[in-house]
Amino acid sequence: MLTPARDLVATAFADALARAAKERGWNGTEGADVDVEVPKSPAHGDYATSVAMRLAKTVRRPPREIADAIAAKVDTKPPIAKVEVAGGGFINVRLDDAWLREQVNAIIASGEDYGRSERLKGQKIQIEFVSANPTGPLTVANARGGPLGDALANVIAFAGAAVQREYYVEDSSTQVKRFGISVAVRYRQLFGEEIELPADGYQGDYVKEIAAQIKERHGARYRDLGLEEQGKAFAPMAIDWSIADAQRVTGKLGIRYDAWFKQSSFIENGYLDETIEVLRKRGVIAERDGVVFFETPEAAALRRDETEEGWVLLDKADDPPAKYLATDIAYHRLCFEKRGVGLKLNVWGANTQYHLQQMKIAMPILGIDPSRLEVVLYQYVHFIKEGVLTRIGRRTGQYLLLEDVLDAVGADVTRFFMLQRGADSPLEFDFELAVQQSNDNPVYYVQYAHARIASIFRTAGERGINADGADVQLLAAPAERELIRLVQKLPELLREIVEHRGVHLLTVYALELAGAFHGFYRDHRVVDDANVPLSKARLRLVRAVQVALRQTLRLIGVNAPDSM
RNA sequence: GCCCCCGUAGCUCAGUGGAUAGAGCGCAGGCCUCCGAAGCCUGAAGCAGCGGUUCGAGUCCGCUCGGGGGUACCA
């Protein structure tokens, strides 16, 4: 496994600081945060630290003096070529060119493992994403969680964690009851009965489809039941239909879940009731008029006004008793206590932020460290189709199906588009742009770079040039150095994503790397019969770019085509 | 009212508390006898406002204004 250059530099700085501190008798520098950043301006070298400025107060010396003292102690041997103090006390480092070029060979040698680490080794992390209500087909409203969760899972797994991809199926909710009733109404209509959907029913045509399937399979078998009974009978079939749809569509997106976990499973085996009992013992339950409330000072603090009574855990008046908040508390408890999940990372839509607060309050009461629950909240996607915003829920019957989008633009484009923005930012998905196979489409821009590299190797093969015995030290051009630095950045980026969950940075990086490559390509001939040694070296460089590009695309789940 | 997210170029958005804030689209102009022009190069243009913390703030804190979401029997 390659040690990222940044880590090597960080170690060098830390050592230098320790030696300088010892020599000068500085106190309080032991646990100092030796930050290493990449300066914006190339004039400031490859890496820099501002540790001298941070330490000025503790050490009670001017930053420049501290910086000079540390800089003098940094070993200027590969990978470090030059150390310089600049500005108000920055220590800048320039990497050794020969060492840097040699990295090209190291990167190619790590191949498929380039960027892999063991940072999260030994951790079991569950990533729950999409988890749409099983009351109909997946729509674009559910779409963002898929690429986000899957790419995050890829990156975290690549950092050594045991990852479990989880789809939580809430098959016992009030919505499911309404869904069953809606199917029953459509079923009755198929027999010519004059009956209208209830106001809270599901309007979508798929409900008719499900009813028709039931009629086809079971004929009039359910005709004589009452509407409620029919609803109960049809709900499981309707849920199966929804799960099958979700499996097919997420499959089209290239996502494979490890578990499709049903809410009903822990209701049936008594775990839910047991959890409620635990809450009761903890003294956070109050019961009034058949309604069971969850009451803690933290919950009370979030009340809207005095008239509100509290969070409803369950309501015995409903049939079956509706479980509401209780099911989710039990579900999370189950993951931590019974399923061995160390960290549960939920990728949820922005509308669940209140729900998140509830879980954060509930977990400690069950003796679970709330930091084991983390949520990536993503803002909504504004779907622009023919200039019109489409973001309408399923119940109304007007919606844009995720599958239709996938069929129209493909999984690659869908995934890339969904990952182009930070989860905190709303995302605009321009349908017309996504369909375009043109230079306006950033996915093709990146894929084109990869295809171009493949084409270079084809050309080289035709002319009988390969990279055997290449001398990478011939890669002396500034654009070549820049490319190597960019390729080298990937492992550092992956670490950042593991720490901050900003998985969208991979698309940003892919575009940056592709752009640098395109620029290099224009000005530097790779396959050149007149200069075979240089051609060999450049084939190596281009191969390293390909490794990084392919790796990046693989992690976000986008194909890296050899031609297009 | 309260809670969460956002406000950066004409538009859509990047930007782990560091030095001169970036990209794409759009606009203006240029580049294929030469490895893929789905490409490249040049140009104009920006941190909503006011305070605070800090050696240093687009980034952290507070308030104001503006936009999105939620507000607990949907989960």
Side-chain angles (χ1 to χ4, degrees):
Chain A
M1 225 168 278
L2 277 179
T3 305
R6 186 187 187 135
D7 292 356
L8 298 172
V9 172
T11 306
F13 279 144
D15 287 350
L17 169 60
R19 278 185 280 162
K22 193 176 174 190
E23 190 176 289
R24 310 240 169 172
W26 296 338
N27 290 319
T29 62
E30 286 77 15
D33 173 29
V34 183
D35 62 303
V36 179
E37 63 191 70
V38 178
K40 281 176 190 144
S41 164
H44 299 132
D46 295 307
Y47 293 102
T49 182
S50 61
V51 71
M53 280 117 95
R54 294 167 196 279
L55 286 176
K57 197 171 274 178
T58 339
V59 174
R60 281 189 245 171
R61 303 300 312 165
R64 285 292 299 218
E65 185 186 317
I66 299 168
D68 283 332
I70 297 172
K73 295 291 180 190
V74 175
D75 283 336
T76 47
K77 62 177 188 198
I80 293 170
K82 199 168 83 176
V83 183
E84 233 172 18
V85 175
F90 287 101
I91 306 170
N92 298 330
V93 149
R94 186 177 160 91
L95 293 174
D96 182 75
D97 287 343
W99 178 85
L100 205 49
R101 292 173 194 136
E102 200 48 54
Q103 292 305 296
V104 169
N105 289 327
I107 289 162
I108 294 169
S110 40
E112 296 280 296
D113 287 326
Y114 184 54
R116 186 186 292 280
S117 76
E118 296 188 340
R119 186 162 297 272
L120 301 178
K121 196 176 177 186
Q123 293 194 41
K124 184 167 175 183
I125 300 177
Q126 180 192 84
I127 299 172
E128 185 213 314
F129 56 108
V130 183
S131 298
N133 256 324
T135 54
L138 292 185
T139 73
V140 293
N142 315 118
R144 198 173 182 181
L148 214 46
D150 196 44
L152 203 49
N154 286 339
V155 172
I156 286 173
F158 206 47
V163 164
Q164 183 196 33
R165 288 172 170 81
E166 170 106 339
Y167 195 112
Y168 179 43
V169 182
E170 293 174 288
D171 59 345
S172 306
S173 66
T174 313
Q175 290 302 327
V176 165
K177 192 174 166 185
R178 289 177 187 155
F179 187 33
I181 299 276
S182 301
V183 175
V185 168
R186 294 304 188 194
Y187 178 78
R188 288 173 171 232
Q189 287 173 344
L190 288 174
F191 288 97
E193 189 174 325
E194 299 255 340
I195 181 172
E196 294 292 317
L197 275 179
D200 59 5
Y202 285 80
Q203 307 282 337
D205 284 343
Y206 64 90
V207 180
K208 295 179 189 168
E209 213 178 284
I210 296 167
Q213 274 184 17
I214 291 172
K215 189 189 173 197
E216 203 172 298
R217 279 182 210 158
H218 304 287
R221 204 174 121 196
Y222 294 97
R223 274 231 67 182
D224 299 330
L225 295 177
L227 192 62
E228 287 273 323
E229 294 303 309
Q230 285 177 329
K232 273 187 193 169
F234 293 166
M237 306 181 204
I239 287 164
D240 284 346
W241 185 94
S242 299
I243 294 174
D245 174 86
Q247 289 180 333
R248 186 182 68 251
V249 176
T250 54
K252 271 191 184 180
L253 252 181
I255 298 168
R256 266 195 297 278
Y257 283 95
D258 300 302
W260 293 76
F261 192 79
K262 284 188 178 176
Q263 189 177 59
S264 55
S265 67
F266 63 82
I267 295 176
E268 283 160 14
N269 70 13
Y271 191 80
L272 172 65
D273 293 335
E274 185 200 316
T275 301
I276 294 171
E277 280 318 301
V278 173
L279 290 173
R280 196 184 300 281
K281 280 180 194 149
R282 296 279 193 276
V284 296
I285 278 186
E287 199 168 329
R288 288 185 292 274
D289 304 325
V291 179
V292 179
F293 293 94
F294 177 85
E295 286 192 345
T296 72
E298 293 86 355
L302 290 175
R303 279 190 209 177
R304 180 165 43 181
D305 55 51
E306 289 307 307
T307 64
E308 284 188 355
E309 295 199 272
W311 293 344
V312 175
L313 268 178
L314 63 97
D315 187 342
K316 290 177 176 170
D318 286 359
D319 177 40
K323 299 302 193 298
Y324 310 114
L325 184 56
T327 43
D328 272 332
I329 293 176
Y331 168 59
H332 281 81
R333 177 173 176 241
L334 180 66
C335 291
F336 292 121
E337 305 277 288
K338 299 284 182 198
R339 296 172 69 196
V341 171
L343 174 72
K344 182 161 163 57
L345 194 49
N346 296 334
V347 180
W348 282 348
N351 59 331
T352 62
Q353 52 97 354
Y354 194 82
H355 189 218
L356 166 61
Q357 296 183 54
Q358 293 180 318
M359 287 304 124
K360 284 286 189 184
I361 289 170
M363 287 304 108
I365 291 165
L366 294 166
I368 295 162
D369 181 350
S371 70
R372 291 171 67 192
L373 169 63
E374 203 182 308
V375 174
V376 173
L377 275 188
Y378 61 86
Q379 299 297 309
Y380 283 127
V381 178
H382 296 190
F383 238 85
I384 312 279
K385 194 178 181 187
E386 285 153 14
V388 182
L389 183 66
T390 313
R391 203 196 61 214
I392 304 170
R394 223 156 30 194
R395 290 246 308 271
T396 60
Q398 300 174 54
Y399 46 81
L400 187 54
L401 291 182
L402 175 53
E403 187 165 27
D404 290 343
V405 173
L406 280 171
D407 290 345
V409 310
D412 283 349
V413 171
T414 304
R415 292 185 72 126
F416 198 95
F417 269 53
M418 293 292 174
L419 289 172
Q420 271 198 98
R421 310 293 178 223
D424 283 344
S425 294
L427 179 81
E428 198 163 291
F429 193 111
D430 186 332
F431 200 80
E432 276 71 36
L433 175 61
V435 175
Q436 269 181 54
Q437 303 199 359
S438 76
N439 48 353
D440 290 346
N441 192 326
V443 187
Y444 293 103
Y445 180 83
V446 173
Q447 291 185 322
Y448 184 70
H450 189 270
R452 213 176 206 184
I453 290 170
S455 169
I456 290 171
F457 282 103
R458 285 193 293 270
T459 303
E462 284 160 18
R463 302 201 194 162
I465 298 176
N466 60 41
D468 292 349
D471 177 10
V472 289
Q473 294 303 327
L474 297 174
L475 300 169
E480 289 169 336
R481 191 181 197 278
E482 189 198 329
L483 256 186
I484 297 169
R485 284 287 292 140
L486 214 43
V487 169
Q488 209 179 34
K489 187 176 158 186
L490 179 62
E492 297 169 16
L493 179 69
L494 291 175
R495 177 172 66 189
E496 203 178 310
I497 294 170
V498 162
E499 284 168 5
H500 301 102
R501 320 294 186 210
V503 77
H504 70 287
L505 293 175
L506 284 172
T507 56
V508 175
Y509 174 71
L511 287 164
E512 195 182 358
L513 183 57
F517 168 72
H518 285 312
F520 159 80
Y521 176 87
R522 172 195 157 91
D523 299 326
H524 303 85
R525 171 153 285 272
V526 177
V527 181
D528 185 358
D529 300 303
N531 192 343
V532 172
L534 185 59
S535 296
K536 284 174 175 288
R538 285 181 173 164
L539 282 173
R540 279 276 166 84
L541 172 61
V542 165
R543 182 68 81 194
V545 172
Q546 188 181 37
V547 165
L549 204 52
R550 191 181 284 165
Q551 206 72 298
T552 305
L553 290 173
R554 192 177 63 75
L555 288 169
I556 60 181
V558 171
N559 284 298
D562 286 340
S563 67
M564 50 195 287

